Amino acid sequence: MNFAPEPHTQSIPVKLEDGTTVYIEATSTGREDVAVDLKSFSQITEALEGISRTLAQSLQKIQPDKASVKFGLELAIESGNLTAVIVKGSSKANLEITLEWNQGSATPSDGRQ
């Protein structure tokens, strides 16, 4: 028998760095209710920056001529804080990455010119 409450979604106020307040939908991940106090959006932007920085470092190593990355973030409340959660989108993966090399370009995996 599972006694954990079902997650619920609620609109909560979030303050952006420029002072603007926006309302977002967030999912409660724990047993506590989603509070309506003003949350900081910095944890979300820090998560986005960290994910982007890590992906950029990997892309710099393999040097594709063109790259695109698509992913979704769900906003959740965990222990009273706004949290970013990578979510499954319309595809089967959490991250959809497309890399392209022009013909004649060297690829890191085979070293051809």
Side-chain angles (χ1 to χ4, degrees):
M1 212 181 262
N2 186 358
F3 293 104
E6 298 235 356
H8 64 279
T9 302
Q10 183 175 343
S11 292
I12 60 167
V14 175
K15 186 174 185 175
L16 303 179
E17 285 188 24
D18 68 357
T20 304
T21 299
V22 296
Y23 285 82
I24 62 165
E25 249 185 33
T27 303
S28 174
T29 60
R31 293 179 183 258
E32 63 190 64
D33 287 333
V34 175
V36 291
D37 60 326
L38 193 60
K39 305 288 184 196
S40 170
F41 201 64
S42 64
Q43 288 178 306
I44 303 305
T45 57
E46 288 168 9
L48 179 60
E49 289 170 10
I51 292 165
S52 299
R53 189 176 308 109
T54 301
L55 290 170
Q57 290 169 352
S58 294
L59 293 172
Q60 287 171 355
K61 289 179 186 176
I62 60 174
Q63 299 179 346
D65 293 318
K66 184 177 177 182
S68 66
V69 178
K70 181 179 178 180
F71 63 94
L73 288 178
E74 181 175 309
L75 304 181
I77 298 293
E78 191 169 273
S79 301
N81 294 313
L82 194 58
T83 305
V85 180
I86 296 178
V87 296
K88 184 181 278 190
S90 59
S91 65
K92 298 257 185 210
N94 289 339
L95 294 175
E96 180 181 313
I97 301 173
T98 304
L99 304 175
E100 294 179 19
W101 285 268
N102 292 327
Q103 273 189 322
S105 297
T107 60
S109 59
D110 63 12
R112 289 183 289 168
Q113 293 293 329

